[in-house]
Amino acid sequence: MSSARTTIFVCVSCRLPIDGNESDFEKPGSELAAAIEAHLQGAGASGIDVRPVECLAVCKRPCTIAFAGQDKWTYLVGGVDAKSQAGEIADVAQRFATSEDGIIPWKERPLFFRKGVIGRVPPQTYRITEKAE
Ligand code: FES
């Protein structure tokens, strides 16, 4: 098990249109970050930070989050439902934190993670000889 810290970045600038109206929107990122934090505390998780961020450059897929950790792949995930998926995000973060390299097996990924991954970036120490799925 890795002891490296994990960070969940949560975009607090994402605009979620209300009733499909682009000029009328909410910004649910702060609420999402607080809900993730509450789920992590409820689960007794440690070593996982929830950190608000201004923009992750995926503004068309609100809400956007990222999972990052030392020596792990970083995952950028969009289209997160702030009202219903905080618990699943907290669960993924715990799996991410305890994984060797940040890669979570496909069958263990909740739907938001399967459908929402926009990209992943290897750790700085990555070399092509390492196995990634
Ligand atoms: S405003 Fe959230 S990714 Fe840009």
Side-chain angles (χ1 to χ4, degrees):
M1 177 191 302
S2 170
S3 61
R5 294 192 66 81
T6 291
T7 301
I8 309 169
F9 291 102
V10 179
C11 178
V12 294
S13 301
C14 277
R15 295 178 174 190
L16 189 63
I18 297 173
D19 297 329
N21 184 349
E22 291 291 332
S23 62
D24 194 13
F25 57 86
E26 58 181 320
K27 290 183 173 180
S30 294
E31 182 180 328
L32 174 60
I36 296 168
E37 189 81 56
H39 277 280
L40 289 170
Q41 287 180 0
S46 62
I48 302 173
D49 295 329
V50 180
R51 202 168 300 170
V53 60
E54 292 289 328
C55 180
L56 292 167
V58 193
C59 316
K60 296 295 183 190
R61 291 186 63 182
C63 292
T64 304
I65 64 172
F67 298 93
Q70 186 173 0
D71 299 326
K72 295 179 187 289
W73 287 76
T74 295
Y75 279 88
L76 184 60
V77 183
V80 171
D81 184 334
K83 296 195 184 325
S84 67
Q85 295 175 329
E88 290 180 331
I89 294 167
D91 181 60
V92 166
Q94 291 174 87
R95 292 174 189 271
F96 181 90
T98 56
S99 70
E100 183 69 27
D101 54 9
I103 295 175
I104 300 167
W106 181 260
K107 64 184 178 201
E108 295 179 19
R109 298 179 185 184
L111 195 57
F112 91 86
F113 194 71
R114 290 183 180 183
K115 290 189 154 190
V117 171
I118 294 158
R120 66 179 186 177
V121 178
Q124 287 182 301
T125 55
Y126 177 81
R127 297 290 179 268
I128 196 74
T129 53
E130 294 183 28
K131 182 176 181 244
E133 56 179 82

